[in-house]
Amino acid sequence: MFRLPWFRPDPPTPELLRAQVRAFSRQVPMMYALVLVNTIALSATHLHSSPALLTLGFPGLLGVISLARLMIWWRARKTVIDHAAARRLLRQTLVFAGVLGCGFTCWAFALFPYGDAFGKAHVVFYMAITAIGCVFCMMHMRAAALLLTAIVVGPITVFLLVSGNPVLSAIGFNMALVAVTMLVILLISYRDFSRLVESRRGLEERQAEIQSLSDDYLRLANLDVLTGLPNRRQFFARLQRVTDAAAVSGTRFAVGVIDLDGFKPVNDAYGHAIGDKVLVEAGDRLSRDHGQPLFVARLGGDEYGLIIEADLDAEALQRLGADLCAALREPYCFPGVTAQVSGSVGFAVYPRAAAAPELLYERADYALYHAKQNVRGAAVVFSADHETAIKASGLIEQALRHADMDAEFSLAFQPLVDIKSERTVGFEALARWTSPTLGVVSPGDFVPVAERSGLIARMSPVLLSWALKAATTWPDDVRLSFNLSARDIASPEQIARIVAIIEQSGVAPDRIDLEITETAVMRDFDQAARSLATLKALGVRIALDDFGAGYSSLSYVHRLPIDKLKIDGSFMRGLQAADKRRAIVKTILDLCRNLGLDCVVEGVEAPEQLALLQPLGCRVVQGFLFARPMPGEQVAGYLAAERDAPGEELRSAG
């Protein structure tokens, strides 16, 4: 009949099918109720004029079927129906629309001859009003509405038009107009309904896509991309939740911080690809079942965080830490490469160490720092002694921030002695501090605090200028050694200040040894290399201090412009002829000779130590055996006495 595109029956989508079922579940029960009520009314008006089969039997059968369909759709109002069930239910609706439409139409035509004029008018009215009501109730299913129109409205319209009765013909003409108008409205309504469903489906798809992206962003924001472990953000969010829950329940838990020992040399020696694999493997090992409920996160770099939601005492935490460190010490085997690293761990227990999550983490981090400084490769649990040390460090930091450098700081100079010529070849400048509130503070106490707080950046240029000023009064063959901190070589601006101070000092750069530690290099190797290259271009010599006490990575020796190695004084304590430490010292001395590097042995305090070193080819030493650090004004007298006194007498005086 119709050729416009919106009259063509398009195959319904799953969303449209479900939308039709939802709409029908509200409208079809009303349609069947309308049919039943109208049928009962029509049967009643013809009860005495028509056969019982037409007034009771046939409409009764159709009514039972209609009532059954009404109940099916009534139950569908509160039932979640899948796509297959929806398609099946709508197909049944189409079939029953045809069957019941034909049945009621035939029944009405059969009843028409038995009534009087009013009865015939009732039949026409019944068919017209019932058909229109049913078509509008089925407007969301275009095929059923069209089928019902064709079966009911079409025949009655034709019947009225050809009845020969002018009134009935006029009614038929009116019904034809109403039918056309109704169909246009129905099809437009169906089109809009379909578009609304499709629009809603598109909106839901976009919302689902947005939600998926949001979930991905949330996941990425809370996961470490490399290891797949929770990241720093998620670690602190969980720590806050666990702390809040523990505050309510009164339970205890522990926080741990793990740092890989020796990771930087592995990363430098084998490249970032192997370094990344080590980080992934380390995370996997920490995530194993270690007998305790562990939440493991990667905090950044080679640092991992732990939350142990269990009430463990210090001994149990030490055992857990030992287990974790043992897992990290296992070789990391990759194709063509076997790497070796270890780990140190610090623990802090809630609420004994701290009650706030940030402070609890800081306490665990302090315990880690203590482990790396004293028992590398092991576990340390934050204790009351650490709390005392933190308070002492806090006092030192406050005093440092308000210190008058000129009034409170000074330099002491310790000789570096050539044991063959028994002459001093240089002095190492060492900082000394006498605080008006704290008294004399050991460099071992205030230098680490100055490093951590960043105050060392203000102190180094001042102390270097003092040391260079003192060196201008020494003989030209006596060198100056000065220690640079990790913060010094990590800052291009600081290096520029140091270069300017040296250039303005009047001391020849080739008389200056600038000492760095392995730890300072490890923090940012690339920046350290650039800083040392700048200093080397100036003409100074670079010494690697405390060699052997840290990781002793030979990659630093060949990749950095190193001129000298200083063997850590810890090798001298209790040194014996058959001691492994003596063999290590010999190996380092041989290495320096092979590479053309100078070598200084620190911590020589006894003649017996010197006697063990001399056969190894040791040339330059530093220690109390020759002299303790002395004020700058005593250096001239010391050098004069050295020129005048035999070596044995000089060592006795030292």
Side-chain angles (χ1 to χ4, degrees):
M1 181 184 297
F2 299 100
R3 299 301 181 186
L4 294 175
W6 37 272
F7 283 112
R8 294 171 185 166
D10 299 322
T13 63
E15 291 77 14
L16 184 55
L17 283 173
R18 287 191 289 268
Q20 287 175 327
V21 169
R22 286 194 298 270
F24 275 15
S25 67
R26 295 188 298 269
Q27 295 165 194
V28 172
M30 291 188 296
M31 179 189 73
Y32 282 115
L34 173 67
V35 170
L36 288 171
V37 171
N38 288 354
T39 300
I40 292 171
L42 183 60
S43 295
T45 59
H46 288 73
L47 189 62
H48 300 292
S49 61
S50 302
L53 181 62
L54 292 179
T55 56
L56 295 176
F58 198 69
L61 175 62
L62 294 176
V64 170
I65 297 174
S66 298
L67 184 61
R69 296 296 299 169
L70 185 152
M71 297 305 299
I72 291 174
W73 279 104
W74 184 265
R75 288 195 299 269
R77 295 170 67 236
K78 298 182 179 180
T79 304
V80 178
I81 299 177
D82 60 20
H83 176 247
R87 182 180 292 276
R88 185 168 57 252
L89 192 56
L90 292 177
R91 285 178 177 174
Q92 292 174 1
T93 298
L94 185 61
V95 171
F96 277 98
V99 172
L100 291 176
C102 288
F104 281 107
T105 300
C106 292
W107 171 68
F109 277 127
L111 201 62
F112 186 83
Y114 292 97
D116 56 13
F118 290 105
K120 289 181 173 60
H122 191 183
V123 171
V124 172
F125 178 80
Y126 164 80
M127 295 188 69
I129 199 66
T130 304
I132 291 172
C134 290
V135 168
F136 273 106
C137 285
M138 303 189 76
M139 64 188 301
H140 294 114
M141 187 176 179
R142 181 171 54 188
L146 291 173
L147 179 62
L148 196 60
T149 302
I151 291 174
V152 179
V153 179
I156 190 62
T157 301
V158 173
F159 173 78
L160 293 174
L161 288 173
V162 300
S163 65
N165 186 312
V167 175
L168 294 179
S169 297
I171 293 174
F173 180 74
N174 290 337
M175 284 192 65
L177 291 178
V178 170
V180 171
T181 304
M182 180 179 64
L183 286 176
V184 171
I185 294 174
L186 181 148
L187 292 173
I188 292 174
S189 177
Y190 178 81
R191 181 199 63 189
D192 294 342
F193 174 74
S194 301
R195 288 178 178 177
L196 178 62
V197 171
E198 288 301 310
S199 175
R200 184 171 64 183
R201 182 176 66 88
L203 180 60
E204 289 175 350
E205 289 178 350
R206 287 193 293 273
Q207 287 178 334
E209 183 179 354
I210 292 171
Q211 184 62 47
S212 177
L213 290 174
S214 177
D215 292 342
D216 288 342
Y217 289 145
L218 183 62
R219 180 179 58 82
L220 292 174
N222 288 279
L223 287 182
D224 176 62
V225 177
L226 176 63
T227 63
L229 293 173
N231 62 9
R232 189 180 190 90
R233 177 199 298 268
Q234 188 174 351
F235 174 81
F236 282 103
R238 185 179 181 103
L239 180 57
Q240 182 68 61
R241 291 195 301 271
V242 172
T243 304
D244 293 342
V248 174
S249 63
T251 56
R252 300 199 312 170
F253 69 94
V255 173
V257 182
I258 293 181
D259 188 82
L260 299 184
D261 301 323
F263 171 74
K264 185 67 175 176
V266 169
N267 203 42
D268 291 342
Y270 300 115
H272 293 296
I274 295 298
D276 288 348
K277 290 182 179 180
V278 170
L279 292 174
V280 172
E281 177 66 22
D284 291 341
R285 295 182 185 184
L286 293 175
S287 301
R288 294 174 185 170
D289 183 7
H290 296 280
Q292 298 296 341
L294 287 182
F295 175 81
V296 183
R298 184 186 176 208
L299 303 181
D302 59 346
E303 186 175 78
Y304 299 83
L306 305 174
I307 300 176
I308 307 101
E309 295 186 56
D311 188 355
L312 302 181
D313 57 20
E315 184 177 347
L317 284 173
Q318 289 283 3
R319 289 196 300 270
L320 174 61
D323 187 33
L324 294 172
C325 292
L328 293 175
R329 277 195 299 271
E330 297 173 9
Y332 295 77
C333 299
F334 308 109
V337 174
T338 298
Q340 191 77 45
V341 301
S342 59
S344 302
V345 56
F347 290 112
V349 178
Y350 173 92
R352 188 173 64 231
E358 295 82 5
L359 194 57
L360 193 63
Y361 168 77
E362 289 179 6
R363 296 296 191 254
D365 192 54
Y366 183 88
L368 170 64
Y369 173 80
H370 189 273
K372 294 180 76 69
Q373 295 295 317
N374 299 279
V375 287
R376 188 181 295 273
V380 170
V381 181
F382 189 85
S383 65
D385 292 340
H386 298 138
E387 183 69 35
T388 301
I390 287 178
K391 291 179 180 178
S393 295
L395 292 175
I396 291 174
E397 181 176 343
Q398 290 302 313
L400 275 176
R401 290 188 181 279
H402 299 91
D404 183 341
M405 288 285 294
D406 292 331
E408 301 177 30
F409 280 83
S410 62
L411 288 176
F413 298 89
Q414 186 172 31
L416 286 77
V417 179
D418 185 325
I419 59 176
K420 289 190 176 181
S421 64
E422 296 189 338
R423 287 291 179 266
T424 296
V425 294
F427 288 91
E428 180 178 359
L430 303 170
R432 296 293 183 262
W433 179 35
T434 302
S435 168
T437 56
L438 303 178
V440 176
V441 184
S442 167
D445 293 330
F446 75 79
V447 171
V449 173
E451 277 272 14
R452 288 198 301 271
S453 64
L455 295 172
I456 196 73
R458 176 172 63 90
M459 297 167 57
S460 292
V462 176
L463 296 175
L464 176 60
S465 62
W466 291 354
L468 290 169
K469 183 177 180 181
T472 59
T473 65
W474 304 343
D476 290 342
D477 60 348
V478 177
R479 306 183 62 78
L480 169 68
S481 290
F482 186 85
N483 291 279
L484 295 181
S485 73
R487 290 185 180 269
D488 290 330
I489 64 173
S491 169
E493 294 78 15
Q494 184 79 335
I495 292 298
R497 283 191 287 269
I498 290 172
V499 168
I501 290 171
I502 293 174
E503 290 176 336
Q504 297 167 10
S505 67
V507 178
D510 59 6
R511 288 180 57 199
I512 302 171
D513 293 333
L514 294 178
E515 300 183 10
I516 59 171
T517 63
E518 292 175 280
T519 303
V521 173
M522 287 173 57
R523 290 188 179 181
D524 188 344
F525 180 86
D526 294 334
Q527 179 56 46
R530 288 192 292 269
S531 297
L532 297 182
T534 299
L535 296 171
K536 185 72 174 177
L538 183 65
V540 303
R541 290 165 59 84
I542 307 297
L544 190 59
D545 198 11
D546 299 334
F547 191 79
Y551 305 112
S552 304
S553 171
L554 297 182
S555 65
Y556 298 142
V557 177
H558 79 81
R559 293 174 62 190
L560 294 174
I562 303 296
D563 301 293
K564 179 189 296 185
L565 297 182
K566 297 188 73 174
I567 301 177
D568 188 72
S570 61
F571 288 98
M572 295 298 102
R573 289 192 286 273
L575 185 70
Q576 299 177 5
D579 198 328
K580 290 182 179 179
R581 285 173 293 182
R582 184 172 182 271
I584 294 174
V585 171
K586 182 179 185 303
T587 300
I588 297 175
L589 288 168
D590 292 341
L591 172 69
C592 290
R593 279 192 292 271
N594 292 335
L595 297 179
L597 302 177
D598 292 336
C599 189
V600 177
V601 180
E602 300 177 298
V604 180
E605 300 180 354
E608 296 81 8
Q609 295 172 338
L610 186 63
L612 291 173
L613 291 174
Q614 285 175 325
L616 303 181
C618 175
R619 183 70 183 260
V620 180
V621 300
Q622 181 179 356
F624 292 170
L625 177 62
F626 294 92
R628 292 179 176 273
M630 64 191 71
E633 56 269 20
Q634 295 182 11
V635 170
Y638 171 83
L639 291 174
E642 184 182 70
R643 287 194 301 270
D644 298 336
E648 289 297 327
E649 294 180 9
L650 181 61
R651 285 195 296 276
S652 299

